[in-house]
Amino acid sequence: MKLKQRVVVLCAVLFLLGLAKVFLLDGGEGSATSRRDLRAFRKMEASLALAKGARLTHTLQSPWEVAAQWVGPREVYPDETPELAAVLNALATARVERADVGYKGTQLKALLVLDGGQKVVFKPKRYTRDYVVEGEPYAGYDRHNAEIAAFHLDRILGFRRAPLVVGRFMNLRTEIKPIATDQLLSTFLMHGNNTCFYGKCYYCRETEPACAEGDVMEGSVTLWLPDVWPLQKHRHPWGRTYREGKLARWEYDESYCEAVKKMPPYDAGPRLLDVIDTAIFDYLIGNADRHHYESFQDDGGASMLILLDNAKSFGNPALDERSILAPLYQCCMVRVSTWNRLNLLKGGVLSSAMRQATAHDPAYPVLTGPHLAALDRRLNGVLATVRQCMETQGADNTLIEDRMNLPHP
């Protein structure tokens, strides 16, 4: 066989091998990787439905102690959490011992301490479910229901990097005001028959309070991560400038990812793949506001990127802000496990899973039909982006085998 013919045959074999890999990873079940990811997906599906009113019965530990033991360098909660429903129920019902203004930030929130000393963050309802936030993709107040939905999407995607969140109804007159600090109490006021508060934050204004219906306020409660896992804040490499007429480098430099790959902690370890996972997560929920992110301190780049502060999501179901996906389409790489999970969620499975996962929540329905449809539509956009990367640079260079499921210390 002549050299030219050998080259042609070799190219054909390599092409077929590439197609085989794509087939096996694109929803197929023929490889060990795909079979393992399929088993994990089926386990997730079986655990989606959560019983209302569940309580811990098999342990003397409090719900807070159980949840604290779940946290590890690469997960906020483990793959199997039979106690999850009980912990969420405790978040939604436990007596409030203390209420204060929220920690520093731009948006209104309250810091609560629940019975047993557990800190939580309460974000009040600001919009009706069908309200559409117009303008920039990061416009508007925080959406409490977005925090709830984002936590359950984290479960569905198998990332397990978001703190636990549940909807809750608070009676501001009987549950909060009697145990509130003077600083928080000073921000309470009445609008007609409705009790309101405006808190302390960068954008908090007396003219823009959050108001209950009468005395009862709907909101989201987020479980505070254990103090033994202190957080470290990082500027997001694909953050926006938030200044009109001034673009960030990634917005005009198509080779920007190559520069990021040379900077710690993105030059080694799992952090860059975490950023890409997060870009997919944020695109699905419509969150264009992740200008910073948190990991655990002193981790040497091995800690997960923790999915905190997801409330600037689900604002406009008609808006698919493609720039959120810049880490994906500029780096053209994604974890094999993420790719497999996304393929298992196509064809309407994602929206169906979200409905099932949030059906137990006190704030149900968490999302409207248009937002659920947007999840499925945006998922198709993510899959198309990865396929385009595989067409231009090959599956081997696009799909990265890196689960990084580190054991607890």
Side-chain angles (χ1 to χ4, degrees):
M1 186 181 291
K2 295 182 179 179
L3 178 61
K4 185 176 181 180
Q5 292 174 315
R6 290 177 180 173
V7 171
V8 171
V9 170
L10 179 60
C11 290
V13 170
L14 291 174
F15 177 73
L16 290 173
L17 287 173
L19 284 179
K21 180 173 182 179
V22 173
F23 172 76
L24 290 174
L25 297 172
D26 192 1
E29 300 179 23
S31 70
T33 296
S34 291
R35 288 194 297 272
R36 182 170 56 198
D37 288 335
L38 180 60
R39 287 195 297 271
F41 179 76
R42 296 304 181 209
K43 187 184 297 184
M44 179 278 298
E45 280 189 315
S47 67
L48 273 183
L50 299 171
K52 292 184 179 180
R55 297 186 181 277
L56 294 177
T57 58
H58 66 287
T59 176
L60 296 178
Q61 292 180 305
S62 73
W64 324 131
E65 291 170 327
V66 171
Q69 291 176 355
W70 287 343
V71 181
R74 296 294 306 171
E75 61 188 15
V76 175
Y77 51 95
D79 191 20
E80 295 187 34
T81 51
E83 308 92 347
L84 180 61
V87 175
L88 292 176
N89 180 58
L91 277 175
T93 60
R95 180 176 57 87
V96 182
E97 292 183 338
R98 187 171 183 269
D100 199 354
V101 296
Y103 55 92
K104 63 181 181 179
T106 62
Q107 297 288 317
L108 172 60
K109 62 184 78 71
L111 179 61
L112 310 180
V113 178
L114 302 184
D115 186 25
Q118 177 61 53
K119 288 189 290 187
V120 299
V121 176
F122 179 75
K123 292 190 177 181
K125 175 183 176 182
R126 305 299 295 260
Y127 301 112
T128 60
R129 293 291 191 276
D130 56 357
Y131 184 89
V132 175
V133 180
E134 304 285 358
E136 298 291 346
Y138 44 82
Y141 300 122
D142 275 1
R143 276 77 80 178
H144 76 292
N145 60 310
E147 290 280 17
I148 302 167
F151 162 64
H152 290 289
L153 179 64
D154 176 67
R155 293 175 60 209
I156 293 166
L157 292 175
F159 291 164
R160 306 194 301 279
R161 302 172 203 157
L164 277 58
V165 185
V166 71
R168 178 160 179 168
F169 291 84
M170 294 280 191
N171 188 307
L172 298 182
R173 180 176 59 85
T174 61
E175 291 186 85
I176 302 299
K177 293 182 75 172
I179 45 82
T181 63
D182 291 341
Q183 189 176 27
L184 179 60
L185 276 176
S186 68
T187 74
F188 273 78
L189 50 94
M190 297 296 294
H191 274 196
N193 293 324
N194 298 325
T195 303
C196 311
F197 77 99
Y198 58 90
K200 299 284 186 182
C201 70
Y202 187 81
Y203 290 122
C204 289
R205 304 284 187 273
E206 185 175 355
T207 55
E208 301 179 25
C211 292
E213 293 186 11
D215 291 322
V216 179
M217 174 175 280
E218 179 184 332
S220 65
V221 175
T222 302
L223 188 69
W224 196 273
L225 289 171
D227 291 338
V228 294
W229 293 95
L231 301 180
Q232 181 175 355
K233 193 170 187 177
H234 310 264
R235 182 175 295 278
H236 197 297
W238 276 270
R240 302 171 189 275
T241 65
Y242 296 88
R243 284 183 279 178
E244 187 175 352
K246 182 173 178 59
L247 297 178
R249 179 179 168 184
W250 64 267
E251 294 180 280
Y252 61 81
D253 183 357
E254 287 300 317
S255 64
Y256 176 69
C257 183
E258 295 306 312
V260 173
K261 289 178 180 178
K262 298 174 183 176
M263 302 184 299
Y266 311 105
D267 56 345
R271 187 63 57 80
L272 181 56
L273 288 169
D274 280 2
V275 168
I276 293 168
D277 279 348
T278 303
I280 293 170
F281 176 83
D282 283 340
Y283 180 70
L284 292 174
I285 64 178
N287 176 25
D289 195 44
R290 205 174 295 280
H291 44 83
H292 289 79
Y293 68 84
E294 285 81 14
S295 69
F296 292 130
Q297 281 185 8
D298 302 322
D299 60 5
S303 162
M304 61 185 160
L305 190 163
I306 305 167
L307 298 174
L308 291 171
D309 294 332
N310 302 305
K312 282 296 181 70
S313 311
F314 297 106
N316 187 344
L319 177 63
D320 299 341
E321 181 55 52
R322 181 168 166 75
S323 65
I324 300 171
L325 280 179
L328 174 63
Y329 60 70
Q330 289 183 354
C331 296
C332 259
M333 54 192 289
V334 66
R335 284 187 171 97
V336 170
S337 54
T338 300
W339 172 243
N340 284 343
R341 178 59 60 96
L342 294 175
N343 274 287
L344 290 166
L345 290 166
K346 63 188 179 184
V349 176
L350 176 55
S351 60
S352 177
M354 180 62 79
R355 282 192 188 92
Q356 186 177 4
T358 57
H360 79 286
D361 196 273
Y364 183 84
V366 175
L367 296 176
T368 63
H371 282 296
L372 290 166
L375 282 171
D376 291 329
R377 184 183 68 245
R378 292 167 186 162
L379 174 58
N380 289 334
V382 174
L383 294 172
T385 299
V386 177
R387 291 192 188 100
Q388 186 176 17
C389 284
M390 289 192 289
E391 289 173 5
T392 57
Q393 67 174 33
D396 286 332
N397 294 320
T398 302
L399 303 175
I400 310 300
E401 184 64 51
D402 176 21
R403 283 173 174 75
M404 287 298 296
N405 288 329
L406 302 180
H408 284 212

